[in-house]
Amino acid sequence: ASSRSSITIQDILNASQQQLLPRQGYKCMSCCRVFPMLSSVKAHIQNSSQEGYSCKVYYCRMKALWEKEQRAQEAAAPG
């Protein structure tokens, strides 16, 4: 699987950094559902199309944008 289709736990945590109440679980930033564990969110994202959601598309696009921004920052860095 390419890096764009492989969503990691770190990707989920990066997307949820603005979450206000992490003790209540982890929120899918695409559909706003709350899950008790990170592994539950990851399973939800991977199987979202079967559940009628497009959460995987959201996270893949978000990851692609982060990677593009990181490459641009690296290219702009003096060195």
Side-chain angles (χ1 to χ4, degrees):
S2 72
S3 65
R4 289 193 180 113
S5 63
S6 178
I7 302 300
T8 67
I9 294 294
Q10 189 60 46
D11 297 325
I12 297 166
L13 286 173
N14 289 342
S16 64
Q17 283 179 338
Q18 302 302 318
Q19 184 175 327
L20 298 177
L21 302 170
R23 291 186 178 175
Q24 293 182 355
Y26 297 91
K27 182 175 21 173
C28 173
M29 300 308 291
S30 177
C31 69
C32 298
R33 289 177 59 192
V34 178
F35 298 86
M37 300 180 308
L38 276 171
S39 58
S40 301
V41 180
K42 185 173 182 178
H44 159 73
I45 292 166
Q46 290 173 332
N47 301 311
S48 63
S49 62
Q50 297 169 357
E51 299 173 15
Y53 295 97
S54 59
C55 302
K56 185 172 183 177
V57 173
Y58 171 86
Y59 278 91
C60 287
R61 184 65 185 137
M62 185 89 99
K63 184 174 184 173
L65 290 172
W66 286 331
E67 290 172 347
K68 182 178 179 180
E69 182 178 321
Q70 184 177 12
R71 285 190 301 270
Q73 288 175 356
E74 289 171 356

